[in-house]
Amino acid sequence: NSLNLIIQTGTSLFKQVSAAYRDIDNAKVIQFIDNMGDIYNEADLAVSRAGATTISELSYLLIPAIFVPYPFAANNHQKINADEIVRTGGAVIIENGKLSGELLYKTIKEVSARLQEMSDSLKKIRRPDADIVIFHKMEAMLCNLNHES
């Protein structure tokens, strides 16, 4: 199977990355993604930083990932976020300083052989009812505050 690539570059790298992928038919280079839902619907694997929202979305949608945690994040929180998903089997990490085209290619190839297994492992931590759980916890906290007043 061949991979279809969707690469978000931001403004500063758009021209450079577009030129590098110009002759690759199955690659689409875009500056920004306006609707992540559309991209997630197409994705079998994500290569991404490891912010909490991204990890939450990928886990909810059962999309395995190769995380490259932002090395300058406060208190190394992106690495800590990613470690949790790696422990479940739903992701792997490439450290930013070790990232290269060769290593990314090798990792994608290795991970591609076990995408279903990785997706299934995300079910262990998936909380489709997280919004309801949070709502009830906040409601209980507010009730406790009212009773203490």
Side-chain angles (χ1 to χ4, degrees):
N1 292 342
S2 67
L3 294 173
N4 293 312
L5 305 173
I6 301 169
I7 303 145
Q8 178 183 310
T9 63
T11 305
S12 62
L13 294 174
F14 179 71
K15 288 181 183 178
Q16 177 185 353
V17 174
S18 292
Y21 284 89
R22 176 181 42 244
D23 297 328
I24 300 175
D25 292 335
N26 59 334
K28 178 170 46 171
V29 180
I30 52 180
Q31 289 184 38
F32 297 101
I33 297 170
D34 295 320
N35 186 342
M36 282 305 298
D38 291 343
I39 300 301
Y40 285 150
N41 284 333
E42 294 182 44
D44 295 314
L45 172 68
V47 178
S48 175
R49 294 293 192 188
T53 301
T54 299
I55 286 180
S56 174
E57 291 168 347
L58 293 173
S59 298
Y60 178 81
L61 296 168
L62 305 176
I63 299 171
I66 299 170
F67 289 122
V68 184
Y70 182 62
F72 305 108
N75 299 317
N76 205 25
H77 75 270
Q78 287 205 4
K79 173 77 166 68
I80 294 166
N81 293 344
D83 283 342
E84 195 61 34
I85 305 307
V86 169
R87 273 192 282 283
T88 70
V92 298
I93 293 174
I94 299 176
E95 291 181 29
N96 195 78
K98 295 179 180 175
L99 181 63
S100 68
E102 184 179 326
L103 179 57
L104 181 59
Y105 175 80
K106 178 183 170 205
T107 305
I108 289 171
K109 194 170 181 177
E110 289 171 2
V111 166
S112 293
R114 52 191 182 94
L115 289 176
Q116 188 60 54
E117 174 189 328
M118 292 174 75
S119 180
D120 288 345
S121 71
L122 288 168
K123 292 176 184 175
K124 298 175 204 168
I125 60 166
R126 183 180 188 214
R127 290 296 305 258
D129 63 341
D131 55 342
I132 295 165
V133 171
I134 291 169
F135 172 79
H136 288 302
K137 287 185 184 268
M138 290 177 69
E139 186 178 48
M141 286 172 46
L142 289 171
C143 286
N144 287 339
L145 286 174
N146 287 336
H147 287 107
E148 292 174 8
S149 302

